[in-house]
Amino acid sequence: MTVMEGCEMKTVTTTQSEMTGREGQQGETAMVTTEKEESGGIVSWIIKFFSGGSDETGSSAVMSRSKKQQHGAGRWSRRTLKGHQGHKFKDVRGLAFHNDKLLVCDSDNNIVHILNQDYTCEKELGSFSGQFAKPFKPWSIAVSQDNLYFILDESNVQLVVCDQNNKVIRIITLPANSDPWCIALVKGFVIVTDVNGHRVLKYSLDGMYIGEFGRRRDGHTKFNLPYFVAVNSRDVIMVSDNGNHCIKCFDTQFNYLYKYGHRSTGNAQLWSPQSIAVDGADNVYVCDEGNDRISIWSEDTTWLHHLFHRELRWPRYIAVTADGDRIAGVSGSSRSWNEIVVFSK
């Protein structure tokens, strides 16, 4: 067991085989419970650590293990992050990995955390007090090739472009009647999903409006609640069309290419898809919220397998490292928006 102090995340990690024999730090006790889940023959072991008087953060860490992941996809260790010393996450809305560092949009705390590989807190973005009409509320984040941070500020309906020292480079104002949810960068452009507008917006990196596509209805180029967007190494734009239960893919000129999934519960199918992530091999990871799982496809739309069936309930947000060895996620349950679950090989 490893417990981190100071600016580091208050977490505990364990290997797949370490199910018993743990010792807590001073003032900490541990309770081990087991829970059987009949679906898919999965047996989940849930280890809960409850903090004592010496825990300055007041946080706890919850570990869970499966003897076998869905479809034999291998074994993963699990770590739950709830905050760092003197600070707890509050309504996590966006995740991204950049150079193996985890970027966390901690929206209700008005800040973005940049976490190292050991989940220590390296830097925080969001010291914009007094610069905007409303408090800064980070909702989604992407990093450009010149290491500028593009952050969707949901409260002010804008994109904040800043450097690592919190210097604001520019502001990209979005339509006042839009409901922006997620952003991605592709070939010199910013892609923004507008959920209730049922459209996707396109801007240049310096903030010039380029165009949009999609309006509410079913069809290859139409959307019904397009929540999330991601881009692969070939500049394919992938949009999670939540109401149509699929991932639609387009080129940079918004020409339709192909899609992943359709509404159902079986393999290669989706139900209310949410966040999308892409690894270095262009494998596509989808939060299949309605089916309580992460669904994975190859770049050529071949379905590969599911992960974490019912271990990340109603998965809403996801990020994956380039090598695919770490997956960070946030549950769609309102009580879980204050914590991040990281699965590692």
Side-chain angles (χ1 to χ4, degrees):
M1 181 182 72
T2 302
V3 179
M4 304 186 201
E5 301 293 345
C7 185
E8 304 180 5
M9 310 308 297
K10 181 69 176 181
T11 62
V12 181
T13 186
T14 182
T15 63
Q16 192 74 16
S17 61
E18 292 174 356
M19 302 309 305
T20 59
R22 296 175 175 81
E23 294 181 0
Q25 71 178 89
Q26 186 178 2
E28 217 177 38
T29 58
M31 182 177 75
V32 180
T33 64
T34 63
E35 174 184 278
K36 292 186 177 181
E37 294 181 7
E38 298 300 328
S39 176
I42 297 177
V43 180
S44 295
W45 299 82
I46 302 176
I47 291 65
K48 297 183 177 180
F49 286 81
F50 295 92
S51 299
S54 64
D55 182 1
E56 295 180 353
T57 68
S59 66
S60 60
V62 180
M63 289 329 129
S64 125
R65 297 289 182 278
S66 293
K67 285 187 175 179
K68 183 179 181 181
Q69 296 291 352
Q70 188 78 350
H71 297 287
R75 294 182 175 182
W76 297 74
S77 64
R78 169 174 171 158
R79 172 182 294 190
T80 299
L81 312 177
K82 295 191 176 184
H84 55 79
Q85 185 174 1
H87 182 99
K88 292 183 179 179
F89 296 144
K90 190 175 181 182
D91 197 6
V92 174
R93 285 288 177 169
L95 298 172
F97 278 106
H98 177 66
N99 294 334
D100 285 331
K101 296 177 182 179
L102 179 59
L103 313 182
V104 180
C105 291
D106 190 359
S107 65
D108 278 3
N109 283 316
N110 315 110
I111 206 161
V112 174
H113 308 276
I114 301 178
L115 308 181
N116 291 312
Q117 292 188 45
D118 60 359
Y119 307 108
T120 57
C121 179
E122 176 184 284
K123 191 178 295 293
E124 294 178 334
L125 304 175
S127 300
F128 309 132
S129 178
Q131 297 187 49
F132 310 135
K134 298 179 181 179
F136 170 71
K137 196 166 187 177
W139 212 256
S140 179
I141 187 169
V143 186
S144 65
Q145 292 184 346
D146 55 354
N147 289 317
L148 292 181
Y149 296 89
F150 286 69
I151 307 172
L152 173 59
D153 178 5
E154 186 271 345
S155 180
N156 292 287
V157 196
Q158 64 185 11
L159 299 181
V160 178
V161 184
C162 68
D163 63 17
Q164 62 180 354
N165 297 314
N166 279 291
K167 179 183 178 181
V168 176
I169 306 301
R170 70 184 67 95
I171 299 295
I172 301 176
T173 302
L174 302 176
N177 62 346
S178 65
D179 184 18
W181 201 272
C182 184
I183 66 173
L185 303 182
V186 55
K187 219 168 191 177
F189 300 103
V190 187
I191 306 298
V192 184
T193 58
D194 176 9
V195 176
N196 289 329
H198 308 285
R199 60 183 176 172
V200 174
L201 307 172
K202 182 179 180 182
Y203 292 83
S204 65
L205 294 183
D206 60 6
M208 180 180 297
Y209 172 77
I210 302 297
E212 63 182 70
F213 71 111
R215 285 292 180 181
R216 184 172 186 176
R217 59 174 288 186
D218 192 6
H220 289 330
T221 60
K222 306 297 181 180
F223 300 116
N224 183 6
L225 303 176
Y227 277 99
F228 293 90
V229 62
V231 176
N232 70 10
S233 68
R234 299 179 183 273
D235 298 324
V236 174
I237 301 169
M238 293 167 279
V239 180
S240 63
D241 193 356
N242 182 273
N244 289 320
H245 307 280
C246 62
I247 306 300
K248 293 178 180 176
C249 301
F250 305 84
D251 65 20
T252 56
Q253 300 303 312
F254 295 157
N255 296 308
Y256 174 79
L257 300 175
Y258 48 83
K259 72 175 184 177
Y260 297 89
H262 56 87
R263 179 177 176 174
S264 194
T265 60
N267 296 338
Q269 297 167 340
L270 298 168
W271 199 303
S272 299
Q274 296 284 349
S275 181
I276 316 166
V278 183
D279 66 18
D282 281 341
N283 295 314
V284 180
Y285 299 67
V286 180
C287 286
D288 189 1
E289 184 181 45
N291 289 318
D292 280 334
R293 64 195 183 191
I294 304 298
S295 294
I296 304 178
W297 277 268
S298 65
E299 181 191 11
D300 64 2
T301 73
T302 300
W303 176 79
L304 299 177
H305 55 261
H306 301 309
L307 286 176
F308 318 132
H309 187 213
R310 294 189 176 179
E311 291 191 52
L312 184 65
R313 298 307 299 266
W314 309 313
R316 178 67 58 85
Y317 300 95
I318 190 174
V320 61
T321 54
D323 59 13
D325 283 349
R326 283 191 295 158
I327 300 173
V330 176
S331 168
S333 170
S334 60
R335 65 188 179 189
S336 300
W337 287 345
N338 301 333
E339 61 186 44
I340 303 165
V341 180
V342 181
F343 297 92
S344 303
K345 286 185 179 180

Coordinates of all heavy atoms in Angstrom, one line a residue, residues 64 80 187 234 302:
S64 N -11.0 -1.7 -6.1 CA -11.8 -2.8 -6.5 C -11.0 -3.7 -7.5 O -10.2 -3.2 -8.2 CB -13.1 -2.3 -7.1 OG -13.3 -2.8 -8.3
T80 N -8.4 5.0 -6.9 CA -9.4 6.1 -6.8 C -8.8 7.4 -6.3 O -8.2 7.4 -5.2 CB -10.6 5.7 -6.0 OG1 -11.3 4.5 -6.6 CG2 -11.7 6.8 -5.9
K187 N -5.7 19.6 -36.8 CA -5.1 20.2 -38.0 C -5.3 21.7 -38.0 O -5.8 22.3 -39.0 CB -5.8 19.6 -39.2 CG -4.8 19.4 -40.4 CD -5.4 18.5 -41.4 CE -4.4 18.1 -42.4 NZ -5.0 17.2 -43.5
R234 N -5.0 10.4 -37.6 CA -5.3 10.6 -39.0 C -6.3 11.8 -39.2 O -6.8 11.9 -40.3 CB -5.8 9.3 -39.7 CG -4.8 8.2 -39.6 CD -5.4 6.9 -40.3 NE -4.5 5.8 -40.2 CZ -3.5 5.5 -41.0 NH1 -3.3 6.3 -42.1 NH2 -2.8 4.4 -40.9
T302 N -13.4 -2.3 -36.3 CA -13.6 -3.6 -35.7 C -13.7 -3.6 -34.2 O -12.9 -3.0 -33.5 CB -12.3 -4.5 -36.1 OG1 -12.2 -4.6 -37.5 CG2 -12.5 -5.9 -35.5

